Amino acid sequence: MPSLTLSLARGAAASPFKRAGRPGATLPADRPTRPAAPTAPGPLAAYNRLCGFTGPDTLPVTYPHVLAFPLAMDLMTRRHFPLPVTGLVHTWIEITAHRPLLPADELELSVHADELRPHRRGTEVTMVTGARLAGELVWESRSGYLSRHATRTATAPAPAAPEPALPAVTEWRLPADLGRRYGAASGDRNPIHLYPLTARLFGFPRAIAHGMWTVARCLAEAPQPHLIHSVRADFKAPVLLPGTVTYATDGAAFQLRGDGGRVHLTGTASAAA
């Protein structure tokens, strides 16, 4: 697998020479792939502990995204990728699991860039990830990543209306080192998640939680998370560390809210009957 650290360094070096929103920009046709392999038990166990998954010996529905993230970063930091990776924001994710996956399953992973489109705050790219088992597509995701820049507001989509608050279920106190712990479990050691100093370099007052941790932690609260086969999550606002958040749900939809009711995350999940 490509090194996330090297990809981040390459992306940081190349970002000043890329201009988001450039007319006529195109996406590369590259499809980085990881050959079929089982899941390493150590990182999976650390991920499960940190995110709260305690059920049967299956892969959490979010875990193939973690496995394939180095491929996505490798693609997004290549010279001919049109958006600068520095400052790129994960805005949403959709996941479909076509069957439950086991740690012993030898998954082949692939990633490609699918679409560039205007956003009210810049340009958004859709990254597609697929996991195959013996050639069969068994899991897939689509993720939006936003590169912020000045836009022509007349052509940009309007922001969505605020969603109603869901019933609060529990409160979580998030420690200052959560980003470092998740980075060790997932391999995603983006500086914005590690320390206040490294986060301030990118405009955040403190380190922020990984968006994919917030999704996984919410899904782990479901009655039977190993049966979840469909997820949609939208990242609304960063979660500063340390901090306190409220998990809310009505059974299908879920939210993560902060001080003053600020919504950090909204989503829906469906489980097999």
Side-chain angles (χ1 to χ4, degrees):
M1 290 288 281
S3 164
L4 271 173
T5 301
L6 291 178
S7 292
L8 284 169
R10 180 176 66 195
S15 288
F17 303 99
K18 296 184 178 183
R19 183 168 62 88
R22 177 171 52 85
T26 59
L27 292 169
D30 311 42
R31 290 181 178 246
T33 301
R34 187 201 76 169
T39 299
L44 175 59
Y47 178 88
N48 284 339
R49 286 193 301 270
L50 192 58
C51 297
F53 292 106
T54 59
D57 190 23
T58 57
L59 290 185
V61 70
T62 50
Y63 200 63
H65 177 89
V66 173
L67 293 175
F69 190 63
L71 295 175
M73 283 301 299
D74 175 61
L75 178 56
M76 289 191 289
T77 57
R78 292 183 181 182
R79 181 176 57 83
H80 50 297
F81 192 82
L83 302 181
V85 73
T86 300
L88 209 60
V89 178
H90 195 181
T91 48
W92 57 270
I93 186 169
E94 294 177 346
I95 298 174
T96 303
H98 299 292
R99 47 155 284 186
L101 299 178
L102 304 174
D105 288 339
E106 297 192 357
L107 298 178
E108 177 188 292
L109 304 171
S110 64
V111 171
H112 68 275
D114 182 57
E115 181 184 6
L116 274 178
R117 61 180 174 274
H119 184 280
R120 63 189 178 89
R121 293 182 177 173
T123 300
E124 190 175 71
V125 61
T126 298
M127 301 296 294
V128 181
T129 302
R132 288 174 169 77
L133 186 60
E136 177 190 357
L137 183 66
V138 293
W139 182 99
E140 56 188 317
S141 75
R142 298 174 64 84
S143 287
Y145 292 91
L146 172 65
S147 181
R148 291 173 289 189
H149 59 83
T151 64
R152 295 182 178 179
T153 55
T155 62
E163 298 184 29
L166 300 177
V169 175
T170 188
E171 189 176 84
W172 298 327
R173 296 184 183 276
L174 310 183
D177 68 346
L178 176 61
R180 298 192 292 276
R181 292 165 59 197
Y182 184 84
S186 68
D188 182 0
R189 294 181 173 87
N190 189 318
I192 63 175
H193 304 301
L194 302 182
Y195 300 97
L197 177 59
T198 56
R200 282 197 291 269
L201 295 174
F202 297 91
F204 298 98
R206 304 197 300 273
I208 65 173
H210 291 73
M212 287 305 297
W213 178 86
T214 65
V215 175
R217 185 67 188 90
C218 289
L219 296 178
E221 290 293 305
Q224 294 180 300
H226 61 287
L227 296 181
I228 293 174
H229 65 81
S230 177
V231 177
R232 165 77 192 208
D234 292 273
F235 306 105
K236 301 294 188 178
V239 176
L240 297 176
L241 300 173
T244 301
V245 293
T246 298
Y247 166 70
T249 183
D250 63 3
F254 57 87
Q255 292 175 339
L256 207 59
R257 300 197 295 263
D259 294 338
R262 186 184 192 191
V263 177
H264 297 289
L265 170 75
T266 65
T268 57
S270 301

